[in-house]
């Protein structure tokens, strides 16, 4: 949540087209041609409270978590890491083709780890030594 507690989006509770790339009015349709029109370079919108860009919108991001529909009912309350194994991986953040519902910080979907398309991406990360 970028340091925000209990907020709907990485920047607060109100959807804001100046903060993320999404389908604000339901007019976007997927075609190979318009995909290039709608995708935006990383950093086109302000970062969240941790300095991370594009945590909502643009493309769904693969997560390290395996998907289990019941996992949160038995997970640790703080920093749940997901099940140890599974068949499907979690995606978060929504995409340029989604409505605001999918941009919520609590929103997620899942897919086969082999799935690829122009609505899905990933984020490179590394541990930071304090």
């Amino acid at each position: 949540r970028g340091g925000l507690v209990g907020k709907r989006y990485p920047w607060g509770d109100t959807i804001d087209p100046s903060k993320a790339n999404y389908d604000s009015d339901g007019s976007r349709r997927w075609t190979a041609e318009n995909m290039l029109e709608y995708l935006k370079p990383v950093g086109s919108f302000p970062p969240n409270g941790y300095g991370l860009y594009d945590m909502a919108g643009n493309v769904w991001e693969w997560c390290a978590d395996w998907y289990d529909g019941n996992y949160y009912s038995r997970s640790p309350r703080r920093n749940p890491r997901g099940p140890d194994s599974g068949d499907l991986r979690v995606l978060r953040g929504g995409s340029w083709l989604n409505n605001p519902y999918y941009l919520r910080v609590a929103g997620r979907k899942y897919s086969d780890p082999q799935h690829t398309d122009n609505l899905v991406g990933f984020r490179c990360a590394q541990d930071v030594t304090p």
Side-chain angles (χ1 to χ4, degrees):
R1 295 178 192 251
L4 300 177
V5 176
K7 299 298 181 185
R8 184 173 301 228
Y9 303 106
W11 54 84
D13 283 327
T14 305
I15 194 66
D16 183 342
S18 73
K19 308 254 186 201
N21 182 15
Y22 64 97
D23 188 0
S24 62
D25 63 6
S27 65
R28 295 181 178 181
R29 301 288 177 258
W30 186 94
T31 68
E33 295 78 28
N34 72 10
M35 171 201 66
L36 296 175
E37 174 186 346
Y38 291 124
L39 277 174
K40 302 295 180 208
V42 171
S44 295
F45 299 91
N48 71 6
Y50 293 140
L52 302 173
Y53 289 88
D54 305 314
M55 297 305 294
N58 217 29
V59 295
W60 285 96
E61 292 187 359
W62 286 110
C63 297
D65 299 27
W66 290 104
Y67 175 77
D68 176 346
N70 297 314
Y71 176 72
Y72 289 119
S73 67
R74 62 183 182 281
S75 70
R77 184 165 168 83
R78 183 169 160 75
N79 197 20
R81 302 231 180 230
D84 293 331
S85 63
D87 295 321
L88 304 170
R89 290 276 189 186
V90 173
L91 294 125
R92 290 193 179 268
S95 78
W96 60 268
L97 188 60
N98 291 126
N99 67 47
Y101 176 81
Y102 294 99
L103 276 64
R104 299 171 307 119
V105 292
R108 66 185 178 146
K109 75 175 197 170
Y110 51 88
S111 188
D112 183 301
Q114 302 299 315
H115 173 80
T116 62
D117 69 32
N118 66 13
L119 302 175
V120 175
F122 63 94
R123 181 177 298 268
C124 297
Q126 71 181 46
D127 290 336
V128 175
T129 305

